[in-house]
Amino acid sequence: MISGPRQPGNGIDVYLSSLIEDLTKLWDEGVLVFDGFQNESFLMHAMLFCTINDFPAYGNLSGYSVKGHHACPFYEEDTSYIQLKHGRKIVYTRHRRFLKPHHPYK
């Protein structure tokens, strides 16, 4: 993937369109493949189960906003944040609120 100022952004679908076509074909129609152990061909169906990526890539691939006041995909409207006075930076707070009251990281 291309990161930084030259990343495709919302145009990521252009780069992923051929992958999506192949995955759709694998799921709907299947592909004839050869099994060397059984020495025969069979129709294989497959799917993409999950992806592992960082937070910016998550936003890029899913279309979810990972910036702004409600950037947390779990807390959404309940995201706790503070906007700094002398800048446009947003600081997310209370990210350890799910820990038990006397947890060493709280």
Side-chain angles (χ1 to χ4, degrees):
M1 298 298 294
I2 304 165
S3 62
R6 296 181 52 196
Q7 74 180 13
N10 291 337
I12 191 73
D13 56 342
V14 174
Y15 290 94
L16 296 178
S17 63
S18 60
L19 173 64
I20 292 168
E21 288 173 11
D22 290 344
L23 289 171
T24 302
K25 182 178 180 180
L26 278 167
W27 180 254
D28 293 339
E29 304 169 25
V31 176
L32 194 63
V33 295
F34 182 76
D35 181 356
F37 184 75
Q38 298 273 339
N39 202 23
E40 61 184 24
S41 296
F42 68 97
L43 192 62
M44 179 181 71
H45 292 268
M47 65 179 268
L48 178 64
F49 180 67
C50 67
T51 62
I52 299 173
N53 41 288
D54 62 0
F55 207 57
Y58 164 72
N60 203 354
L61 292 171
S62 69
Y64 191 87
S65 174
V66 293
K67 298 176 183 174
H69 296 166
H70 306 293
C72 179
F74 302 106
Y75 289 108
E76 293 180 339
E77 297 295 324
D78 293 330
T79 301
S80 181
Y81 66 91
I82 299 170
Q83 188 156 358
L84 299 180
K85 287 182 183 180
H86 301 291
R88 297 183 347 210
K89 185 173 269 194
I90 297 171
V91 179
Y92 301 102
T93 58
R94 295 185 55 222
H95 55 281
R96 296 179 181 169
R97 61 182 153 176
F98 60 89
L99 295 174
K100 293 179 183 177
H102 299 292
H103 193 278
Y105 292 137
K106 190 155 186 178

